[in-house]
C-alpha cells in the first residue's frame, strides 16, 4: 500500500511538469474595411517595419522600449500606421509590438501582408 505522502508527491510532480509558467497575451485582430486611401482628411501616415532584431519607424531605427514614447511624439490627432513584417518575425515579437500600439487609442494601424 502506497503512503499518502507518495501520492501527494506524485500529484505535485505531475502538476508541476504539466503546467506552463510563460505569460500569454491575447491580441484582437480585425480585418480592414473597404475604406478609401484618403478616408481621413487630417490623418497622418506612419510606417513601422518590424524585423526579428530591429524596429524602424519612418526609417529611424529604435528599440521597442522607446516605441511608445516616439509614437506619442509623432501622434497629432488621428494617425494611421502601416505595419510591415519581415518573414522571420516571431509571433511573440509581433504581440509585443501590438501591445504597444494598442496603448495609443488615436492610432489606427493596418498590418501589411509579407510578399
Amino acid at each position: 500500500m502506497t503512503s499518502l505522502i507518495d501520492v501527494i508527491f506524485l500529484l505535485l510532480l505531475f502538476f508541476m511538469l504539466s503546467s506552463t509558467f510563460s505569460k500569454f497575451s491575447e491580441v484582437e485582430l480585425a480585418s480592414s474595411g473597404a475604406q478609401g486611401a484618403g478616408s481621413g482628411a487630417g490623418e497622418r501616415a506612419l510606417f513601422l517595419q518590424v524585423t526579428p532584431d530591429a524596429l524602424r519607424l519612418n526609417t529611424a531605427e529604435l528599440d521597442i522600449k522607446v516605441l511608445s514614447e516616439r509614437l506619442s511624439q509623432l501622434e497629432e490627432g488621428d494617425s494611421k500606421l502601416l505595419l510591415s513584417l519581415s518573414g522571420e518575425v516571431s509571433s511573440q515579437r509581433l504581440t509585443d509590438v501590438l501591445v504597444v500600439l494598442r496603448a495609443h487609442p488615436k492610432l489606427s494601424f493596418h498590418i501589411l501582408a509579407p510578399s
Side-chain angles (χ1 to χ4, degrees):
M1 184 164 206
T2 312
S3 66
L4 184 61
I5 192 71
D6 290 339
V7 172
I8 292 173
F9 177 72
L10 288 174
L11 287 173
L12 178 66
L13 188 64
F14 172 75
F15 287 118
M16 284 177 54
L17 294 176
S18 64
S19 64
T20 179
F21 296 105
S22 61
K23 181 181 170 186
F24 291 104
S25 296
E26 213 174 274
V27 177
E28 264 184 54
L29 293 178
S31 62
S32 61
Q35 298 176 352
S39 61
E43 286 187 349
R44 180 177 176 192
L46 302 170
F47 184 73
L48 179 65
Q49 183 180 15
V50 181
T51 62
D53 53 348
L55 291 174
R56 286 186 201 81
L57 182 62
N58 291 343
T59 69
E61 195 164 318
L62 54 103
D63 191 28
I64 195 165
K65 296 174 186 171
V66 297
L67 177 61
S68 182
E69 177 184 323
R70 192 68 178 273
L71 286 172
S72 297
Q73 293 172 355
L74 294 174
E75 201 174 335
E76 298 171 4
D78 291 338
S79 297
K80 181 186 288 187
L81 184 127
L82 296 176
L83 183 62
S84 173
L85 305 172
S86 76
E88 299 85 28
V89 173
S90 68
S91 59
Q92 182 61 50
R93 177 117 169 116
L94 175 61
T95 303
D96 293 341
V97 171
L98 291 178
V99 166
V100 172
L101 294 179
R102 298 288 270 176
H104 297 272
K106 293 184 179 180
L107 184 69
S108 65
F109 59 90
H110 300 280
I111 301 174
L112 301 175
S115 56

